Amino acid sequence: MTLVFATNNAHKLEEARLILGARIQIKSLQDIGCHADIPETSDTLEGNSLQKAKYVWEHYGIDCFADDTGLEVEALHGAPGVLSARYASEAHDSAANRKKLLESMCGKSNRNAQFRTVITLIKGGEAEQVEGIVKGNIASKETGSGGFGYDSLFIPQGYDRSFGEMTAEEKAAISHRKRALEELCKLLQSTK
């Protein structure tokens, strides 16, 4: 089976290919000649995920999936959430986002957080959504240089290392995206 992953994020594409392996051939937006900056104007992860998948389906008529991921921090009432990539500014500056998160968490004892990924699958014009969640805590300082985004600040539950200290394979084995992609696989098996 071949699906287009509606993302321009090379890290996400690599992670999805690593997780799905040979089960699903994943094409990128570049593979189908889509160079558009697909809008993400919803105020929810679900809305953005649907918006991106619909864009590919409506413009290319190809079965596809799209995701949106947010880091949801309890002490910040779910922020940065849907604004995770643009938390500090519209520039999608990961270093600035991490710095702002650490500043926002200063003096807070509740460090509980979760990464949540919502995937929208559009197959034959029908849209369905699944999600994956990994719970954890926000570290008091950055640790590790692996991964991307907030990985150096997020310590998954049951571990004493951040995603940034893990190899790509270690992170992929427990990540929110893996859990969402596993749900996507189940969905695909049930819609054959």
Side-chain angles (χ1 to χ4, degrees), residues 1-124:
M1 175 181 294
T2 301
L3 289 173
V4 172
F5 187 4
T7 185
N8 286 311
N9 185 319
H11 294 293
K12 285 183 180 184
L13 197 58
E14 181 183 333
E15 194 171 24
R17 286 178 172 151
L18 179 69
I19 291 164
L20 294 174
R23 291 180 277 185
I24 298 169
Q25 181 188 359
I26 299 174
K27 289 189 173 184
S28 69
L29 290 174
Q30 285 187 334
D31 291 336
I32 63 167
C34 177
H35 303 289
D37 188 16
I38 300 175
E40 295 179 64
T41 56
S42 176
D43 59 358
T44 65
L45 300 174
E46 290 82 0
N48 280 340
S49 174
L50 178 62
Q51 189 175 22
K52 291 185 280 187
K54 272 183 152 179
Y55 182 94
V56 171
W57 175 258
E58 289 170 358
H59 289 83
Y60 297 90
I62 299 171
D63 289 345
C64 62
F65 69 97
D67 81 322
D68 200 21
T69 295
L71 175 63
E72 299 169 336
V73 181
E74 273 185 24
L76 303 178
H77 310 288
V82 72
L83 298 175
S84 291
R86 301 174 302 281
Y87 190 44
S89 73
E90 287 296 317
H92 293 251
D93 182 337
S94 292
N97 289 338
R98 290 189 301 273
K99 182 176 186 249
K100 180 175 179 179
L101 179 60
L102 283 174
E103 289 168 355
S104 299
M105 292 299 292
C106 190
K108 299 203 183 308
S109 58
N110 179 357
R111 315 248 354 142
N112 295 337
Q114 67 180 19
F115 266 120
R116 188 165 69 96
T117 294
V118 175
I119 291 179
T120 300
L121 168 69
I122 297 186
K123 191 169 180 233

